[in-house]
Amino acid sequence: MLIPTYDEAAFMICNFRSPICQALVLEIGETVQILEKSEGKNQSHNCCGIFPVSYVHLKKSTVTNRGLCETVVPLEDPIITETTSTLQEWGVLWKQLYVKHKVDLFHKLRHVMNELIDLRRQLIQGHLAQDQTREIKRHITVRLDWGNEHLGLDLVPRKEFEMVDPDQISISELYKLHVSSRHCGQQSTNQVYTRQRHGDGCRVPVSHHLFINLKSFTYNSISEDADVFFFLYDTREAKQISEKFMVKLNKNGGPKNPEKVDRLCALFTDLSSKDLKRDLYIVAHVIRTGRMLLNDSKKGPPHVQYRRPYGCAVLAMSDVFHTITDLKEEKDFVLKVYTCNNENEWYQIHENIIRKSNTKYSAPSTNYGLIISLQLLRGELEQIRRENQAVFNRALALTRKLGFPDVILPGDTRNDLYLTLERGEFERGGKSVQKNIEVTLYVLYADGDTLKDCISLGSGEPNTSEYRSFVLYHNNGPRWSEMVKLPIPIDRFRGSHLRFEFRHCSTKDKGEKKLFGFAFTPLMREDGTTLSDESHELYVYKCDENATFSNQGLYLSLPCCKEDFNSCPNLPANLPFQRSPKETFWVSTILCSTKLTQNVDLLALLNWKAHPERVLDILGRLRQISGEEIVKFLRDVLDTLFCLLDDNTDKYGPLVFQSLVFIINLLRDSRFYHFRPVMDAYIQNHFAGALAYKELIRCLKWYMDRSAEVVRQDHIQEAMRALEYLFKFIVQSRILYSRATCGMEEEQFRASIQELFQSIRFVLSLDSRSSENLVFTQAALLNSFPDIFDELLQMFTVQEVAEYVRGTLGSMPSTVDIGQSMDVVKLQSIARTVESRLFFFPESRSILLPVVLHHIHLHLRQQRELLICSGILSSIFSIIKTSSMESSVQEEVEMMVESLLDVLLQTLLSIMSKSHSVETSRGQRCPQCTAEITGEYVSCLLSLLRQMTEIHFHHLLNNFHSKEELKEFLLKIFCVFRNLMKLTIFPRDWSVMRLLTSHIIVVTTQFLSPALHKNFSEADFDFKVWNSFFSLTVLYINQPSLQLEALGPAKRKKVLDKYGDMRVMMAYELFRMWQKLGDNKPHFIPGMMGPFLGVTLVPQTEVRNIMIPIFHDMMDWEQRKNGNFKQVEAELMDKLDSMVSDGKGDDNHRELFSLLTQLFGPYPSLLEKIEQETWRETGISFVTSVTRLVERLLDYRDCMKGDEMENKKIGGSVNLMNFYKSEVNKEDMYIRYIHKLCDLHLQAEDFTEAAFTLLLYWELLQWEDRPLRDFLHYPCQSEWQRKENLSRKILHYFNKGKCWEYGISLCRELAFQYETLYDYQSLSWIRKMEAAYYDNIIEQQRIEPEFFRMGFYGRKFPFFLRNKEFVCRGYDYERLEDFQQRMLGEFPQAIAMQHPNQPDDTILQSDAQYLQIYAVTPVSDISDVPQLERVPERIKSFYRINNVSRFHYDRPFHKGPKDRENEFRSLWIERTTLILSRPLPGISRWAEVERREVVEVSPLENAIYVVENKTQELRTLISQYQHRQHHGNINPLSMCLNGVIDAAVNGGIARYQEAFFDKDYISSHPEDTERITHLKDLMQEQVHILGVGLAVHEKLVHPEMRPLHKKLVDQFHMMRTGLHHGVPLNLQGSIRHSSSSLSSHTSSEAGNLVIMTDGLMGEHPEEALHMQVRLKFKTQAGHFLMHCDAFHHQNSDPPPALPVRSLRKSPLHPIPGSPTSPQSALGGSNSTLSGSASSGVSSLSESNFGGQYPDPGPIRNDALEPLPSHLWSPPDEYLASPYLHIHYGGPEIDSVDQVRPFHYRSPASHPHTHPHPHAHAHPGLDMHLKERIEGLNLDESTETTGTTAVTAPRGLLDIIKRNVSVEQEDGSTLFRN
């Protein structure tokens, strides 16, 4: 059977899973509310429960919010409940910290959570004392608040460590609790915010304590017992300030008492803050006990022990404070023990050590000494005892401060006399050496008995009955300066005396201690005073060892000192002891007693009856008595004063009154503040002056009445300050009198009180502006006045006291009539009145509240003392909230509404405006404009509004005399509410305060809106008020604290349960008021479109549904008015842009206005309403445009988030910018986004793109003088000026982006405008800039970027990227791998596609991100690239990679069966060309692909493409090295040459030869003849370029890399030979021009010779095995024959050619360098090749290289034409070269860039008329060689006599010697080296 339960909750202690369908699935830690339970064990299988009780722990609970949203709260300590829920919340966030790599906070939070779990366990166990429980709660709340703060959670307001219920306290108090929780730690609110009750009160000083623990004494060279004395010493005042702490050690350095092991510790107590600022030192004196001399065993027998000084150690407290930074932190210190060099200086050894007078002491031989640990403690001693029980359990020695502490507590009984043995002067006594004097001290009572245990050498050791001083060796004038404490019982003090016995300690064998004198002093004088605190010089009386002191009367009758001698003039002649006139003894005393006094006047006052005639004089001197003495005898003094008053009122009355005032004010001192309870106890229990009230009232009234006449008012002010206790005495005296007389003279008493209050009002009503003294009197009276209320309530009713107070407060002049200082005092008095017990009574509040509100109203009107006024109001609201159940509260609230509401609003507006202006100007903040004062007044206003009911609002709105007043009020309150939401009044984590504020605002708005409709609609319509209302509602709905979607589930539920969704409440109010506008709606169209749109951006469906009819209304009214709703559309788009850019809106807005959206709610969708209208088509178009805009805006907003990459931001900006231009034609928004995009480019340092972006705005402007308004950062200026400024900025960006070609056209445009205006100065400037751009183009190096194609597939990409492909211009030096990594970093969720194929629909429509990236090659428009052969490569390269809108990439495939012998025959290429929507570079590094074209490239065409590209790459790289653009780094060139030559040798070009030069292929593909010819040309051109490259490599290669170079040369021979085998010899090859830097120059008197081998490839392979070339030179003297041998080696089967993509992926691209001078790039030497390695290259390369001349002349196409002779003359530097030069007989060229492609020519086109005589040797070569040789030009002016000398470089000479023979006609051969 199920039994209902109502007050139980179950907490899961184990996970529960059950196969039963109706069973709950529960997790450990979850809470389940128990509605019914089944008792007993269920035997049947038909279980009726849903989980077993054994899985849960049941707790008694209470249910709040009964109904659908019930909340179960367990009945336990609230802090346990809070800890549990907080730990559950932290648990989730803690794991997220780990995921977010916040490791430090992760570990800290784990530690705090473990601590909280442990503290919670201790609380649940409930075995703690009350103080311990409170301390644990404090620790818990500290940790909870720490964790909440670091996790960004809400601040929890607390009171006494527990969460407060906002409904149970006023908002003012809630605000203060928030402040206290935030800034004041975990102190209770009462402690933080309770004002001092007693006027200026006094802050009680905090006591400090020093804990010292002696751990060891390692200075063990003494080998005797020792005493160590620790004390605190003030070196500035040169005095000891504390008692001594004594430690007895044995000869081993350990404690003498074994029980004290690890217990040698003391606590120096009662140190004030002032003491800690003194120059304090810890001093340790070490006194050994043993032989007279430590190292001399002869001095004294071993059985006689002497106390002898040994050493001293000091430690500066300043060092301690620097080391110990935290309270309760214990640190160890080592104190070196120094020994005294001269015992006469022992008394000041610590001073010498501190002053570092190192000649007077000796340092120890080691660094060891006293090892102590120190710890600073703070607070009351009892509190410290509770908190540090372990310390106090270690036999802690309490070591007190000398004298009284700063705070003297009642009951703190002390009776300590501190005696210091100062010094003595003694006679030698006939001895040859001075004495060793020991002083023995006894305390004796009057009967002669020695007082037991009344001498203390130091704390930590028991008291003794005698004291023996230490002995100074051979010293008749010893200075001891040793202090002892004499704790003599108070009852034994009178009659006791001290006796000092002096003995000489002999060091002879017997070691006798011989008595030779004594001194004494009584402790009390005859007048009853104790020994004064000063130094006393005592007489020394002679005696011997046989002297007896059994009858102390014998010497007590003698004078003890000089003062005593003077008071005893008649001394008998036969004295029992004779004084030694030359011997004296000095001691000093300090008395610290709460029972004895040294003051004669105080004793005379207490014994006034003995001398009544001296009473007046004694009373007059009372002020001169020390306060310590008075409070010690407070009760006796008061009894005496009132006894005198009763004895003779007329005679003693005024003086007794003054004395009483003095004593009362004495208790205001912080040192004696704790004696106030003593005074209170005296008044209640011991005071007996029944008639005193009459005299006290009379004197008090007399003082007040004279305040207007007396100039010096010090005594009057003192009486005013003592008002509280004077009234206590008056009231208690009247009670005693009334009790004794059964209430007689009641009327007289009331009349006297009435008169006294009239005098008080008289004092307060005086004009004090002219008298400063009167101001102080009034201030003292106002400060004390609230303290008398409680006393008056003992004698009068609440109403009577309230009337007295009201009359007094009412008598104060208004604010205008008194000074500012009195303003403060008056308000403080009112504040304390409000806080008093009197104000808590409803009957008194009704009397006092009007006058209090009157004064506050005056101050608020004048904006004075706002902080104090806010405190008063806070107190009032707290009291009213506490008493809210009483009926009188409604009247009080009504009173406050009438008096304060309007002025509160005005004050808040003033404060907020000042605060805002100060923050804006960043100036000095006004004290009254701080967040604190704003928060105070906001809380006051909210408190008042929350107390107001519907009746209050009704009265308020009906009490306005006119609509203007009502309008002003509504504008004020709406403005304040708006400011509350706009300004950060409350911090973000004050969630409780923010939600409560929002609730009050919406409720208040609901009460006020009917008045708005009633008074300002129809004919009385007021736009300003309605606009203010709508603005308020919009701000309210959008405020961040109400966006519940951002909260966690638990917190969201909590807010909804308590307040509901307040956004919906305000939205309904907004809709209701909009409907009531009627025909006035057009006033808000389109102005409110933006604000209302902001409401729809709130992610709350119901709010959005409510707003749909309002948008329809706006469109409908605009259509009616203008026939369209363009204004609405424009406003809507502007606001959408600004709002979404500010971060508002969410993904649901993508469909907000869409045709497909079905918005649920009480209203139809906007589209449904539009479809019913006549303007349906335009409406649907409007909705469509807005929807598309929202999509792009949300994409833009997502891209612009702070953590997004620049590319996404730029892409989003371009997308939105294009939308504004092309779809909605909003030029201003378009321009705005142009500049946003430009800023993004500048941040990314994409200066070229920034320039192109600004060009878009530039193109919109005209060269006209039309004035333009200021816009963005542009000032008001003409259109011409703006375009000019924009041009200059664009030029600047083009220059920084190194795109000078684009800047040149803009320079020309500007130059034309300047020339038109005759602005020659600007024209000169722009022409110079244009010239500088040309220089930059020629001289500066630019890096060629790579281009990459990107495909974004899947629905998870932003709208502007989704399922689109783009081409991106990479950064400098960025390769494909780098780019892929960067893009995957920008899209971390994307999946990289590993193939280049187009994706299918599955990928396109998937909810994922797929990213496809591969490199593409730019396809430049041929017409854009300069075709002139002299155009430098760097100029051509710019046009090849800029202004490109076509890119292609290749995919190899085999068409048909793959050719197994040579796959290149069947290897086709699928070439995809991407056509972009705009060229690159442009407004973005990305450009969208508009369309693609796919073509198939045949194997032969592909081979042509590959060879051509590689040749171009080689050409570019070699050119860069010729211009020294790589600064010596030859690696790229080495690797590139190696890659081409090695691939060619191993089968690269050879495979092409094999595939396409085969006879079968040629015959079967006659259509490819021209292409085959072209491929042959390209191969030969590549060989020539490689030769140039090897020559450059030869010049630059490092010696260590020579083997690599040699290998390249050898492989190059093999490559050339392989090419010779595969290509028919072309004897008609044209002369090729080569790099000037590799040219060979020669000059001689005999003539010049050029050797060329360009086309020397055999037509048939067999003809070229061993080929001799015979060259014949026709000169005047004869002929030269030159034989050139070509070499051939067999090639192995070559590998396939390079892949297509490898052409753009050389291992290292050129490294940019600064431009070189036009001089030789090879270190001044223009020789070609040197050294042995060059010989294999020269024969091929030398025919390609022309010389480099200063002025080579124009390029000529006919290379065979002879040049003018002056061009053959080399410069002087060539003549000085160590090389001999060969010059070509053709025009010189500047670089490898000018090497022209091969052109095949027919042999018939070159007839040869000079056949060579030896042509028969090689008939197949004659005609060709003759043609080549006749093309050589020798200097015709050269004449020889039979021989022609050949001059060539040494490296070339070797080749000539081996391969070329030069014959004369006579058959002789000549070589000239």
Side-chain angles (χ1 to χ4, degrees), residues 133-302:
T133 302
R134 181 179 177 83
E135 186 65 14
I136 284 184
K137 286 184 176 182
R138 187 182 70 81
H139 282 296
I140 287 177
T141 54
V142 167
R143 284 155 179 76
L144 290 176
D145 290 345
W146 179 91
N148 287 337
E149 180 180 358
H150 283 77
L151 291 173
L153 301 177
D154 295 335
L155 181 71
V156 179
R158 306 180 188 282
K159 191 172 185 179
E160 296 296 335
F161 309 123
E162 294 181 5
M163 297 172 62
V164 296
D165 184 355
D167 295 334
Q168 302 302 317
I169 60 175
S170 72
I171 300 181
S172 299
E173 191 175 357
L174 182 64
Y175 171 77
K176 292 180 178 179
L177 287 173
H178 275 85
V179 175
S180 68
S181 298
R182 191 176 188 85
H183 299 295
C184 303
Q186 299 305 316
Q187 296 176 341
S188 67
T189 312
N190 293 337
Q191 292 172 333
V192 175
Y193 282 97
T194 301
R195 293 177 172 82
Q196 290 290 342
R197 188 176 169 200
H198 302 283
D200 51 0
C202 292
R203 184 171 162 269
V204 179
V206 178
S207 297
H208 299 79
H209 315 276
L210 178 66
F211 172 77
I212 183 171
N213 179 22
L214 176 61
K215 292 190 171 182
S216 67
F217 182 25
T218 58
Y219 203 77
N220 53 9
S221 62
I222 304 177
S223 299
E224 293 180 346
D225 294 349
D227 299 337
V228 184
F229 297 92
F230 293 94
F231 59 91
L232 296 178
Y233 183 79
D234 184 351
T235 186
R236 194 173 298 161
E237 298 184 11
K239 69 176 184 180
Q240 179 179 337
I241 70 164
S242 73
E243 297 178 357
K244 291 183 178 179
F245 165 50
M246 178 182 181
V247 178
K248 283 185 172 293
L249 301 176
N250 58 29
K251 62 182 180 180
N252 297 319
K256 200 167 186 179
N257 184 353
E259 296 180 356
K260 290 199 171 186
V261 175
D262 292 333
R263 293 190 168 194
L264 303 178
C265 49
L267 188 70
F268 288 87
T269 63
D270 300 326
L271 300 175
S272 66
S273 300
K274 189 184 297 183
D275 289 333
L276 297 184
K277 295 176 183 176
R278 297 160 82 169
D279 197 4
L280 290 185
Y281 281 79
I282 299 174
V283 177
H285 282 168
V286 181
I287 306 293
R288 64 181 178 84
T289 304
R291 297 178 180 275
M292 181 65 71
L293 297 180
L294 189 61
N295 300 321
D296 190 354
S297 59
K298 298 178 181 179
K299 294 297 183 180

Side-chain angles (χ1 to χ4, degrees), residues 1226-1236 1257 1260-1261 1268-1277 1282:
K1226 288 184 66 64
E1227 185 175 289
D1228 55 338
M1229 299 303 296
Y1230 172 62
I1231 297 172
R1232 193 181 302 275
Y1233 277 92
I1234 285 176
H1235 288 82
K1236 287 185 179 182
Y1257 184 33
L1260 297 176
L1261 300 173
L1268 298 179
R1269 61 179 177 86
D1270 57 331
F1271 180 62
L1272 299 177
H1273 55 274
Y1274 298 104
C1276 293
Q1277 56 189 165
R1282 184 167 297 180

Side-chain angles (χ1 to χ4, degrees), residues 1541-1559:
I1541 295 174
D1542 190 51
V1545 170
N1546 294 319
I1549 293 179
R1551 300 302 297 270
Y1552 287 145
Q1553 293 175 246
E1554 179 186 333
F1556 306 118
F1557 298 171
D1558 183 65
K1559 292 180 179 179

Side-chain angles (χ1 to χ4, degrees), residues 1525-1786:
Q1525 292 170 359
H1526 283 260
H1527 298 285
N1529 180 14
I1530 200 169
N1531 289 343
L1533 180 61
S1534 301
M1535 298 174 74
C1536 187
L1537 290 173
N1538 185 62
V1540 178
I1541 295 174
D1542 190 51
V1545 170
N1546 294 319
I1549 293 179
R1551 300 302 297 270
Y1552 287 145
Q1553 293 175 246
E1554 179 186 333
F1556 306 118
F1557 298 171
D1558 183 65
K1559 292 180 179 179
D1560 294 338
Y1561 182 86
I1562 295 173
S1563 61
S1564 62
H1565 296 81
E1567 72 279 1
D1568 288 343
T1569 303
E1570 188 177 347
R1571 293 191 183 94
I1572 293 173
T1573 304
H1574 185 42
L1575 180 58
K1576 293 176 183 178
D1577 280 349
L1578 290 173
M1579 286 180 175
Q1580 294 193 31
E1581 181 183 4
Q1582 188 177 96
V1583 170
H1584 289 293
I1585 298 300
L1586 286 171
V1588 177
L1590 284 170
V1592 175
H1593 193 264
E1594 160 72 15
K1595 283 293 183 181
L1596 301 179
V1597 70
H1598 192 273
E1600 294 180 359
M1601 300 298 291
R1602 285 286 174 184
L1604 171 64
H1605 180 76
K1606 182 66 170 64
K1607 175 193 170 189
L1608 291 177
V1609 172
D1610 294 343
Q1611 288 182 334
F1612 177 72
H1613 282 307
M1614 295 172 62
M1615 174 185 176
R1616 181 170 60 105
T1617 306
L1619 186 62
H1620 157 74
H1621 274 285
V1623 183
L1625 184 64
N1626 180 10
L1627 297 180
Q1628 290 80 25
S1630 63
I1631 295 178
R1632 191 178 309 275
H1633 300 281
S1634 174
S1635 171
S1636 62
S1637 63
L1638 295 170
S1639 59
S1640 299
H1641 310 284
T1642 184
S1643 176
S1644 71
E1645 296 177 358
N1648 296 330
L1649 172 66
V1650 176
I1651 303 171
M1652 313 188 88
T1653 62
D1654 287 68
L1656 301 184
M1657 298 298 168
E1659 186 176 3
H1660 304 288
E1662 62 274 8
E1663 295 177 357
L1665 290 176
H1666 298 286
M1667 178 179 64
Q1668 275 197 335
V1669 182
R1670 186 177 297 271
L1671 303 180
K1672 179 179 180 182
F1673 294 87
K1674 174 80 171 172
T1675 67
Q1676 292 179 2
H1679 295 83
F1680 279 178
L1681 290 179
M1682 180 176 288
H1683 301 276
C1684 298
D1685 294 335
F1687 300 94
H1688 170 69
H1689 301 279
Q1690 292 293 330
N1691 290 327
S1692 60
D1693 189 23
L1698 295 172
V1700 176
R1701 282 301 302 144
S1702 68
L1703 294 176
R1704 295 194 54 77
K1705 296 182 70 173
S1706 59
L1708 285 175
H1709 267 224
I1711 298 173
S1714 58
T1716 59
S1717 67
Q1719 300 298 323
S1720 169
L1722 298 178
S1725 173
N1726 289 337
S1727 63
T1728 55
L1729 301 172
S1730 62
S1732 61
S1734 65
S1735 60
V1737 182
S1738 301
S1739 61
L1740 179 75
S1741 61
E1742 60 195 2
S1743 60
N1744 290 332
F1745 309 149
Q1748 180 175 346
Y1749 287 89
D1751 185 12
I1755 293 178
R1756 298 177 57 182
N1757 293 328
D1758 184 5
L1760 301 179
E1761 290 284 328
L1763 289 176
S1765 60
H1766 69 274
L1767 292 180
W1768 286 88
S1769 302
D1772 293 340
E1773 61 265 25
Y1774 296 157
L1775 298 177
S1777 170
Y1779 295 101
L1780 298 176
H1781 304 280
I1782 291 179
H1783 276 240
Y1784 296 126

Side-chain angles (χ1 to χ4, degrees), residues 623 657-658 661-662 664-665 699-700 703-704 713-726 780-781 784:
R623 290 174 173 268
F657 182 83
Q658 289 180 10
V661 166
F662 168 72
I664 292 171
N665 286 323
C699 289
L700 189 56
Y703 271 75
M704 290 184 179
Q713 300 195 358
D714 297 348
H715 56 295
I716 301 178
Q717 292 163 13
E718 289 180 0
M720 298 301 104
R721 295 189 189 101
L723 201 60
E724 177 188 4
Y725 275 96
L726 288 176
L781 175 57
S784 303

